[in-house]
Amino acid sequence: MRTARILACCLFLLPLSGSVSPTEPHNRAKTLLPTQPRPAQWNELRAQLDRGNKLFHSGHYIQANQVFISVRKSAREARVWDLAARAGGNTGSCQFALHQYQLALPSYLDARHLAELAADWSEVAILDSNIASLYSEMGDLETAASWMRGTLERLSGEDRVRHLPEILIQLALLRARQGHMPEALALFRRGIDRADRAGNVDLYTLGWNRLGIEYLNHGNLPAADSAFLEAYRVRKFNHLPLESCYRNLGRLRMEQGDLESASHLLDRCLELAQGPQGAIPAWDVFQLRGRVRLAQGRLPEALQDLRLAVHLARAWRWSTPSNDAGRLGAEEMLDQVYSALIEAGNRLYLITHNPALIRETFEAVEENRAASLRAAVAGPRSGSELSPAYWEALLHLQRAEIQALHAPSPATAEELTSARAELTRLDAGGFSSVSGHPGSAGLAGRVQSALDSRSALLSFHLGDSMSWMWALDRSGLVLYSLPPRRQIEGRVAAATSALRENLRDSTEAGAALYRTLFGPLAPRFQRKTRWLLALDQGEHSAPARTDSAAPGLFEAPLSALAIETKGPRPVFVAERHNTVLIPGAAFWVDAAGRQRFRPVSPVFVGIGDAIYNSADPRLPAVRAARQTRPGALTVSAATGQLSLALPRLVASGPELDACARAWDGEGVLLKGAEASREKLEEQIRRNPAVLHFATHFLPSGGGRATGLIALSLNQGGETELLAPEEIAHWKVNGALVVLSGCRSAQGAVLPGTGLLGLTRAWLAAGAQSVIGSRWSTPDDSGVLFSALYRHLRAQAHPDASEALRAAQVEMIHAGGWRAHPQYWGTYLTVGSQ
């Protein structure tokens, strides 16, 4: 955990953004400015506050927190808002130091409110910076940058000069993590220089340590070495704590291949951290030493360290703010520690053949997989519970999305980033208490019990030196070693490209990928007709995927891979196996125990043939825009006619008609002007069985491929867009959501989290299954989807993935151009069925 110092009454924390590393927070001494004559107990409260500061300074965070809570309560009762604000802020800092992030954030927000009552805008600015530090610690850089802007706007005069070094270093961290390293280097130099001139040794060395970490993250090891050694030299000379220096130098030596030195440095870090003045060791120090021991071949010792790291990381994860951005950041950051444990445990299993090891590694990989989605499904707020301010923020986000798509530029991208961050800021009030830390113990047994005789769960983990597949059925768990990640990614890229473009070698490219992934499976797993696939991206050190990044397993059209290539035509996976992509084993087994809030009604709702441009004769005359609720996402014409002028999807109307006929039940078709948010929400409130979108699906602006659904132009002539942030707050309990359009299942991919975007949003909203596409599809009349709904209605127990498989096989056997995987292989089912 981090060491902290408090001077006077206010703490200025400066944790490392985007990772967890011991920090040297910095603080300020500020004259107290009471907002009214001091009451008789003022001096007593101030003395108690000073006592709490001394406890904090000595590392007794729990005792200090008790003092600060008492002072805050008494100061509030006496209406001494400035003392109450400082005590509340210090309460948040104690909680921050103890990794109690879910408690720290509301403490900071409450202290901020009290500082506003005291008109202490400098204190408000400091609290904004602390909140930015908390969000950056979680990896949510957009929200952190938003809070830092508040600091810059409010600090002025002497306060701004005093705190400018801290602000510069904090901004440097954010800019480096956002990919703007040249700008970050300039900010680091300015901040370090100003700290040096001010004689602030703590801040000077913290700046060098943070700069070294950024150099290390960008692969500049010599520059990182110089920065870390300067921080170590100055801290040792001034008799300052050295835990962070040993930790950073240990990581650097590991990256340089000097494993013996790395081991000694990390041992020393842990020794100091466990001393009377040291903080409790954080999970990242144990995972670093575990990785060093793993590289040294000391597998039992590595596994011991990594087990402890996972234990600490589990508590750390469930202390994070319970908004989705915080969960996602934690999920991605913790993927590395889980990956190291998996490698150590599996390699030790290959030597000892102890079955308990592969059960442990299976449960570890599945504990971290899609944990944020499990939390979102377990307790999301419904749209009716959201405040008008939240809907206003969604309105701002929609406008920003349209601007970024309509006129892409750095300015519109920045505005979009700001809009997303504002939404997360408002979500900060949506904390839910976490009574426990849901670990993975017993997960393999629960999954095994839930599998039927025809099903097997195949769980993948891609690694740099070796990849792994766990195969689980009712008979037991088996581990298979696979080629390294880069080799698998190359075969995924080759097969996907060949099948998408219908190239001559598509059959062999698909067969090669099939042999790589599924060839090792024992016959008992090969005979299973239903494969539940928990996939992995595998890039544990890179940010979210972009189109130029190497493709992971999420991009692979697994149902279209050839199992057999001899004979008159190939035999595809879809003809032997129903492949269902699941967010994770824990998500899948949890779904069986989730109760629907209300029964699904047997209604098919189709949305398509929308009005996308002003040349469409169906465009209604401009009238006053209707209001559905305060802050509804209906953009008025006054915002500048932000129409994207998309082409009409002419065949989408006949597609919906054909699908409704195949459904052979109650159907509601929202076409033309009725393909609107208002009409869609009316139907969602009925809890329909199917939501079928035959619309344009657009990439989100600002460089985040999360996906948007384009509805009709509204009555003001502007495009309505559905973003994942809005969809995730809806309730579609148990529905099948079909996204019939180009690349509708695409989205960014994060390690541990998996696929983001529309697919994840609909699952968070409660959908049982989501069907989407990996690549562009022809604008035809819905032949495949008509077959899907015929098969779905004919089933005694509706299974969307099996209905899709049956429709794909029907296309294969029908012949013609639709028999090629280029047509039917793009579709996939993601869900929990």
Side-chain angles (χ1 to χ4, degrees), residues 400-408 412 416 644 698-702 708 721:
E401 293 278 14
I402 295 174
Q403 286 278 24
L405 290 168
H406 188 72
T412 57
L416 181 55
L644 296 175
L698 308 175
S700 178
L708 302 165
L721 298 176

Side-chain angles (χ1 to χ4, degrees), residues 604 649-663 692-694 738 740-741 777-790 804 807 810-811 817-818 823 827:
F604 171 92
L649 295 176
V650 177
S652 63
E655 173 184 330
L656 293 181
D657 294 336
C659 291
R661 287 194 299 271
W663 178 252
H692 184 109
F693 291 86
V738 176
S740 167
T777 55
D779 184 19
D780 74 352
S781 56
V783 174
L784 182 140
F785 287 115
S786 295
L788 181 151
Y789 292 120
R790 274 192 287 101
L804 175 62
E810 187 175 312
M811 298 301 103
W817 64 273
R818 290 191 180 92
Y823 172 69
Y827 296 105

Side-chain angles (χ1 to χ4, degrees), residues 353-646:
H353 302 290
N354 180 357
L357 288 172
I358 61 169
R359 184 170 291 263
E360 178 183 5
T361 58
F362 169 79
E363 293 183 342
V365 71
E366 292 301 335
E367 176 183 335
N368 193 47
R369 203 190 303 272
S372 63
L373 180 58
R374 292 171 63 199
V377 171
R381 292 177 293 171
S382 68
S384 61
E385 295 171 318
L386 299 175
S387 67
Y390 194 92
W391 292 111
E392 290 291 343
L394 273 174
L395 172 60
H396 181 204
L397 176 62
Q398 179 179 344
R399 290 171 175 166
E401 293 278 14
I402 295 174
Q403 286 278 24
L405 290 168
H406 188 72
S409 69
T412 57
E414 178 66 23
E415 179 65 20
L416 181 55
T417 296
S418 176
R420 289 183 180 129
E422 177 62 19
L423 204 64
T424 302
R425 287 181 60 157
L426 288 171
D427 219 17
F431 297 100
S432 59
S433 61
V434 179
S435 58
H437 302 154
S440 59
L443 177 61
R446 289 190 291 128
V447 174
Q448 192 172 2
S449 298
L451 292 169
D452 58 31
S453 60
R454 64 192 175 96
S455 300
L457 188 145
L458 307 180
S459 174
F460 291 85
H461 180 80
L462 305 187
D464 287 336
S465 60
M466 187 180 294
S467 299
W468 308 95
M469 174 176 61
W470 296 260
L472 179 66
D473 64 5
R474 298 182 73 173
S475 299
L477 180 67
V478 180
L479 177 70
Y480 298 94
S481 60
L482 300 177
R485 170 171 52 84
R486 294 297 183 193
Q487 186 175 334
I488 291 176
E489 286 176 343
R491 291 179 184 174
V492 168
T496 302
S497 175
L499 289 164
R500 183 181 61 238
E501 305 301 328
N502 199 24
L503 303 180
R504 292 180 61 185
D505 65 343
S506 61
T507 297
E508 182 50 43
L513 180 58
Y514 177 85
R515 290 191 296 270
T516 299
L517 298 178
F518 306 112
L521 281 171
R524 84 179 208 228
F525 296 111
Q526 297 279 6
R527 289 192 294 267
K528 301 296 183 184
T529 59
R530 186 168 180 251
W531 284 351
L532 303 172
L533 304 174
L535 304 182
D536 182 33
Q537 177 61 17
E539 185 67 68
H540 302 114
S541 59
R545 258 190 50 77
T546 62
D547 290 340
S548 60
L553 292 180
F554 287 96
E555 286 81 357
L558 299 178
S559 65
L561 303 184
I563 298 176
E564 298 176 4
T565 57
K566 297 178 180 179
R569 66 166 183 83
V571 176
F572 297 104
V573 169
E575 298 179 86
R576 298 271 181 88
H577 307 283
N578 173 16
T579 55
V580 187
L581 274 60
I582 60 173
F587 180 90
W588 178 79
V589 78
D590 287 350
R594 282 195 292 269
Q595 294 182 351
R596 295 171 181 168
F597 291 94
R598 57 190 188 279
V600 172
S601 60
V603 179
F604 171 92
V605 177
I607 306 96
D609 197 12
I611 300 172
Y612 285 128
N613 57 76
S614 58
D616 193 314
R618 301 172 298 163
L619 183 67
V622 176
R623 301 189 300 273
R626 54 182 177 265
Q627 288 289 330
T628 60
R629 60 169 181 268
L633 294 183
T634 305
V635 184
S636 69
T639 60
Q641 292 289 320
L642 296 178
S643 170
L644 296 175
L646 300 167

